[in-house]
Amino acid sequence: MSQTEAELNERFASGTEPLDPNVLAELQSIMRLHDISAEDLFYKWESYCIKLDLDAATMSLDTVRGLKRDIQDHLEKSTRQQQVQIKTEKRVGATPRAAAARGDVFGMLDGLVPNTPGSGLGTGRLSKVGSARRNPYDTPSMSRVKGDLVGSSPDYKTPSRMEEQLNAMQVPSSFNDRPTPGEVIEVLNDHLQPPKPPICPYPESRIKLTAASDQKKLAYKPMAMKLSEASEILDDRIDEFIQLTLEHHNLDLSAFGSAAQQSTTPVIAVGRIASDSPEGKLNAASLVLETSRRTGGGQRVALDMAKVRGYSFFPGQIVALRGINSSGHAFVVDEILELPLLPNAASTPDALSSHRTRLRGDPDAMDSDDAASDPPPLNVLFAAGPYTADDNLDFEPLHALCSQAADTLVDVVVLIGPFIDAEHPLIATGDFDLPIPESEQDAATMNTVFRHLFAPALHRLTTANPSVSILLVPSVRDVIDKHVSWPQDAPARRELGLPKAARFVSNPMTVSLNEAVLGLSSQDILWELRHEELVVAPPRDPVTLSRLCRYLLEQRHYFPLFPATDRSRLPRTGTAEAVPPGAMLDVSYLKLGEMVNVRPDVMVVPSFLPPFAKVIESVLVINPGTLSKRRGAGTYARMTLYPPSLERGGSGGLLSHRLFDRARVEITRI
């Protein structure tokens, strides 16, 4: 078997069975035709499966040929778009001036010259007198020329790097030229009608924010992890699931045992899924179960899954297995026991009634007819970073999002980091200017960058909509946060210039918006789970995205993967090294990443995977995507939450929130 065939079998084969020769030949044909590696082909196959909602573990000749057609169609479409762009390219975004005066007859420098600030731009409009006297290379942005179109900061435009663009012979497209802005690409609960925005802002905020996570515990010292503490945390998590399994299945403690101990009696073993090899992806041959020190002396034992028809595992997953280890070398699994979920969130009728009253905005001004009708729904926007493209620091997508929030008078805007991204090429090199006096530039920090480039958009939003609430969730990629490990403390807001309506929270964070329990985390756990999981068909949940979200709920944790994916296998960045920082887990404090008491009503987990909104185990899971891609515009999510009903019965005087029934979610292109 050649090296290419071995690599294809390692990545595409299901379990221990090799690929069908016809499928293998077709995969090799795709690699030769498009000159791509097996790794790149594997990523294209995953994207194809996610797009068509296929099971990536089941590969047939028909699906491979479908992948081949999809790659060819995408290549032809890209080629046509490039041809059209070359033919229709014309000068945009510059004030009219004589070509001879600048010596650029054919407009070859369009889009390659710096967009520098100038006088007369404070209101976003271009002064004709000022433009005539300005240097020919001081070209205004598109948003200013077209009459205050949203999408770019009127305070400052970062100079583009003309020399690098000329060398690359590639002119980045303007944000204002993005295709299909505002297009809704997915709707959840489309039977709920989108409401009309209010005529004017509400006199006061319509939400009550309550923190469910203890943020004080997250103020620990990073990079001070002790191995003894880390091992205790990992052991305690296994022991906790032993007790949960015992209570959920009404078992006796004598039914549990060590999977690593040789015995002729079947036992139930609870442990952590791991691989016997420190390198490579988890597979059926390398599958082992790691026990805790209390139940199995911390030993690892190989798992024999031949009797189990279908399953899906990932490193770090806590599982309960029924089986026997009669040989002393392997634990033969007969059954995978179901793990209990956290209870659904619920509230008392009085609490729900007070939240309904708060949604009316101004209860003193309503008449009897208003009191009998349902209050207006709550409007929430979710967006995740990066918030600007790789070739500039204009933060145009952020300004466009804040303009949308101001125009529709939303109640809450949830912004998830990174805000000032350490992976941004200009941030990584420091090759950019700030709109501050030269005397202050030597003392400038990344907090100064945030204050002058990011915070102004939030100030304009709060000025247009004073009743809005803004939540910011940091990321380990944020250069403004000194807390570099996950779980992550909120950065100090003292030097960030934030408006009063904006507040930083920890990462992860569980917070209540009125009655709705909202779980937030900026770690891209879904992408890492997708590339680390082992799936042997047919798994219990054949839909990939649903299965990934279910892992989080079953494990009761926002990052159950352990160890995290190696940095070299993560998506490449635009920096010179091209290697991202990775998850940067602080194992001693992983317990702070657990879900608190109940399942969240809404769980927001941004990811590089395609954006979506799904209901999993009564939890509304939202991936808003990224607001800005490396060279293009991204997506965000809008949730319209209708008021809770008080007519349903509950248990113990509590009413289940059932938010998944009354929330309309739209995934929208910025």
Side-chain angles (χ1 to χ4, degrees), residues 370-393:
D370 293 335
S373 62
D374 286 335
L378 202 67
N379 292 290
V380 185
L381 293 187
F382 299 103
Y387 291 90
T388 186
D390 274 5
D391 55 11
N392 65 75
L393 288 176

Short mmCIF file of all heavy atoms in Angstrom, two decimals, residues 370-393:
data_model
loop_
_atom_site.label_atom_id
_atom_site.label_comp_id
_atom_site.label_asym_id
_atom_site.label_seq_id
_atom_site.Cartn_x
_atom_site.Cartn_y
_atom_site.Cartn_z
N ASP A 370 -53.82 47.54 26.14
CA ASP A 370 -52.42 47.11 26.11
C ASP A 370 -52.14 46.08 27.19
O ASP A 370 -51.38 45.14 26.99
CB ASP A 370 -51.49 48.31 26.29
CG ASP A 370 -51.55 49.26 25.10
OD1 ASP A 370 -51.89 48.79 24.01
OD2 ASP A 370 -51.29 50.47 25.29
N ALA A 371 -52.77 46.26 28.36
CA ALA A 371 -52.53 45.34 29.46
C ALA A 371 -53.06 43.95 29.15
O ALA A 371 -52.53 42.94 29.64
CB ALA A 371 -53.16 45.87 30.74
N ALA A 372 -54.12 43.86 28.34
CA ALA A 372 -54.70 42.56 28.01
C ALA A 372 -53.94 41.85 26.90
O ALA A 372 -54.05 40.63 26.75
CB ALA A 372 -56.16 42.74 27.61
N SER A 373 -53.20 42.60 26.09
CA SER A 373 -52.47 42.01 24.97
C SER A 373 -51.07 41.59 25.40
O SER A 373 -50.58 41.96 26.47
CB SER A 373 -52.38 43.00 23.80
OG SER A 373 -51.67 44.16 24.21
N ASP A 374 -50.42 40.80 24.53
CA ASP A 374 -49.05 40.38 24.82
C ASP A 374 -48.10 41.54 24.60
O ASP A 374 -48.26 42.34 23.67
CB ASP A 374 -48.65 39.23 23.89
CG ASP A 374 -49.30 37.91 24.29
OD1 ASP A 374 -49.65 37.78 25.49
OD2 ASP A 374 -49.45 37.04 23.42
N PRO A 375 -47.08 41.67 25.44
CA PRO A 375 -46.09 42.73 25.25
C PRO A 375 -45.23 42.46 24.02
O PRO A 375 -45.18 41.33 23.52
CB PRO A 375 -45.26 42.67 26.54
CG PRO A 375 -45.42 41.28 27.03
CD PRO A 375 -46.80 40.85 26.63
N PRO A 376 -44.54 43.47 23.51
CA PRO A 376 -43.66 43.26 22.36
C PRO A 376 -42.55 42.27 22.69
O PRO A 376 -42.10 42.19 23.84
CB PRO A 376 -43.09 44.66 22.08
CG PRO A 376 -44.01 45.61 22.77
CD PRO A 376 -44.56 44.89 23.94
N PRO A 377 -42.10 41.51 21.71
CA PRO A 377 -41.04 40.53 21.97
C PRO A 377 -39.70 41.20 22.22
O PRO A 377 -39.48 42.38 21.90
CB PRO A 377 -41.03 39.70 20.69
CG PRO A 377 -41.54 40.61 19.64
CD PRO A 377 -42.55 41.49 20.31
N LEU A 378 -38.79 40.42 22.78
CA LEU A 378 -37.42 40.87 23.04
C LEU A 378 -36.58 40.61 21.80
O LEU A 378 -36.71 39.57 21.15
CB LEU A 378 -36.86 40.11 24.23
CG LEU A 378 -35.69 40.71 25.00
CD1 LEU A 378 -36.14 41.99 25.72
CD2 LEU A 378 -35.15 39.71 26.00
N ASN A 379 -35.71 41.57 21.46
CA ASN A 379 -34.86 41.43 20.28
C ASN A 379 -33.39 41.40 20.71
O ASN A 379 -32.92 42.32 21.40
CB ASN A 379 -35.08 42.60 19.31
CG ASN A 379 -36.46 42.55 18.68
OD1 ASN A 379 -36.74 41.69 17.87
ND2 ASN A 379 -37.33 43.48 19.08
N VAL A 380 -32.69 40.35 20.28
CA VAL A 380 -31.30 40.15 20.68
C VAL A 380 -30.46 39.86 19.43
O VAL A 380 -30.87 39.07 18.57
CB VAL A 380 -31.16 38.98 21.68
CG1 VAL A 380 -29.72 38.87 22.18
CG2 VAL A 380 -32.13 39.14 22.84
N LEU A 381 -29.29 40.49 19.34
CA LEU A 381 -28.34 40.21 18.26
C LEU A 381 -27.13 39.49 18.85
O LEU A 381 -26.62 39.87 19.90
CB LEU A 381 -27.87 41.51 17.58
CG LEU A 381 -28.88 42.31 16.77
CD1 LEU A 381 -28.18 43.45 16.05
CD2 LEU A 381 -29.60 41.43 15.77
N PHE A 382 -26.68 38.45 18.15
CA PHE A 382 -25.47 37.71 18.54
C PHE A 382 -24.46 37.82 17.40
O PHE A 382 -24.80 37.57 16.24
CB PHE A 382 -25.79 36.23 18.78
CG PHE A 382 -26.78 35.98 19.88
CD1 PHE A 382 -28.10 35.65 19.59
CD2 PHE A 382 -26.40 36.06 21.21
CE1 PHE A 382 -29.01 35.41 20.59
CE2 PHE A 382 -27.31 35.82 22.23
CZ PHE A 382 -28.62 35.50 21.92
N ALA A 383 -23.24 38.17 17.75
CA ALA A 383 -22.17 38.25 16.75
C ALA A 383 -20.87 37.81 17.40
O ALA A 383 -20.67 37.97 18.60
CB ALA A 383 -22.04 39.66 16.18
N ALA A 384 -19.98 37.25 16.59
CA ALA A 384 -18.70 36.76 17.08
C ALA A 384 -17.58 37.28 16.19
O ALA A 384 -17.76 37.46 14.98
CB ALA A 384 -18.67 35.23 17.12
N GLY A 385 -16.41 37.51 16.79
CA GLY A 385 -15.27 38.02 16.07
C GLY A 385 -14.59 36.95 15.23
O GLY A 385 -14.90 35.77 15.35
N PRO A 386 -13.69 37.34 14.36
CA PRO A 386 -13.15 38.69 14.17
C PRO A 386 -14.18 39.68 13.63
O PRO A 386 -15.16 39.28 13.00
CB PRO A 386 -12.02 38.48 13.16
CG PRO A 386 -11.71 37.03 13.20
CD PRO A 386 -13.00 36.36 13.51
N TYR A 387 -13.91 40.97 13.88
CA TYR A 387 -14.83 42.03 13.49
C TYR A 387 -14.29 42.90 12.36
O TYR A 387 -14.89 43.93 12.04
CB TYR A 387 -15.16 42.91 14.70
CG TYR A 387 -16.00 42.18 15.74
CD1 TYR A 387 -15.40 41.47 16.77
CD2 TYR A 387 -17.38 42.19 15.67
CE1 TYR A 387 -16.16 40.79 17.71
CE2 TYR A 387 -18.15 41.52 16.61
CZ TYR A 387 -17.54 40.82 17.62
OH TYR A 387 -18.30 40.15 18.54
N THR A 388 -13.17 42.50 11.78
CA THR A 388 -12.63 43.22 10.63
C THR A 388 -11.83 42.24 9.79
O THR A 388 -11.36 41.21 10.29
CB THR A 388 -11.75 44.40 11.08
OG1 THR A 388 -11.36 45.17 9.95
CG2 THR A 388 -10.50 43.92 11.82
N ALA A 389 -11.70 42.56 8.51
CA ALA A 389 -10.96 41.69 7.59
C ALA A 389 -9.46 41.79 7.85
O ALA A 389 -8.98 42.68 8.56
CB ALA A 389 -11.29 42.05 6.15
N ASP A 390 -8.71 40.86 7.25
CA ASP A 390 -7.27 40.79 7.49
C ASP A 390 -6.48 41.95 6.90
O ASP A 390 -5.35 42.20 7.32
CB ASP A 390 -6.71 39.48 6.91
CG ASP A 390 -6.84 38.33 7.89
OD1 ASP A 390 -7.44 38.52 8.96
OD2 ASP A 390 -6.34 37.22 7.57
N ASP A 391 -7.04 42.66 5.92
CA ASP A 391 -6.25 43.69 5.24
C ASP A 391 -6.46 45.09 5.80
O ASP A 391 -5.95 46.06 5.25
CB ASP A 391 -6.57 43.69 3.74
CG ASP A 391 -8.06 43.85 3.46
OD1 ASP A 391 -8.80 44.16 4.41
OD2 ASP A 391 -8.47 43.65 2.32
N ASN A 392 -7.24 45.23 6.89
CA ASN A 392 -7.45 46.57 7.44
C ASN A 392 -7.90 46.46 8.89
O ASN A 392 -8.21 45.37 9.39
CB ASN A 392 -8.50 47.34 6.62
CG ASN A 392 -9.88 46.70 6.70
OD1 ASN A 392 -10.58 46.81 7.71
ND2 ASN A 392 -10.27 46.02 5.63
N LEU A 393 -7.94 47.60 9.55
CA LEU A 393 -8.47 47.70 10.91
C LEU A 393 -9.60 48.72 10.95
O LEU A 393 -9.74 49.50 11.90
CB LEU A 393 -7.36 48.10 11.88
CG LEU A 393 -6.30 47.03 12.19
CD1 LEU A 393 -5.21 47.60 13.09
CD2 LEU A 393 -6.94 45.82 12.85
#
